[in-house]
Amino acid sequence: MSKEFRKAGRKDFSKPISAQSVKEKPDFSHFMRRTEVIGSKSDAHLGHVFADGPLPTGLRYCINTAALRFIPKDQLSQKGYGNYLNLFEGCVNSDGKNYKDNLENLL
């Protein structure tokens, strides 16, 4: 998932990192009408998607924290996620500094 934004303290995203990674299906449980997000391979419940998100998609993927796996950038390749390294290019931390600059200052 990409483009994290905050709403109600949960991890929310505006789109999947890969359309092939997730499937969506209608969910009418708890007297609500919403769309469930499930893993394409696992069929596991990941969260829900709502149509009140930011532009350009207008979608808000509310993903359960238990469904997320956080991997440090320097371990992506060895864990089999090296193809996502390009997503970190130009990223800035909350202090406004480039991710790479902060990493070099720590070493």
Side-chain angles (χ1 to χ4, degrees):
M1 307 271 173
S2 68
K3 297 187 181 179
E4 174 187 337
F5 68 103
R6 300 277 176 187
K7 187 171 188 170
R10 296 184 185 96
K11 294 290 183 186
D12 294 334
F13 306 90
S14 62
K15 65 180 181 178
I17 198 167
S18 164
Q20 296 80 22
S21 299
V22 297
K23 296 187 290 188
E24 298 175 8
K25 70 177 189 176
D27 177 2
F28 300 105
S29 63
H30 306 289
F31 306 104
M32 292 188 275
R33 183 180 183 194
R34 53 193 180 167
T35 302
E36 181 181 19
V37 179
I38 56 178
S40 292
K41 294 180 181 177
S42 66
D43 255 358
H45 172 84
L46 303 177
H48 291 89
V49 61
F50 302 96
D52 62 354
L55 295 175
T57 67
L59 299 175
R60 176 175 59 96
Y61 284 80
C62 187
I63 303 302
N64 297 337
T65 305
L68 299 174
R69 182 174 181 200
F70 296 96
I71 302 170
K73 180 186 174 204
D74 61 348
Q75 296 177 20
L76 286 173
S77 292
Q78 73 185 57
K79 301 278 185 181
Y81 297 96
N83 55 321
Y84 296 113
L85 279 167
N86 65 318
L87 298 176
F88 288 86
E89 292 175 12
C91 287
V92 238
N93 292 327
S94 57
D95 62 4
K97 294 182 179 176
N98 184 289
Y99 180 88
K100 183 180 176 189
D101 293 340
N102 280 341
L103 185 62
E104 288 173 356
N105 290 333
L106 292 173
L107 298 176

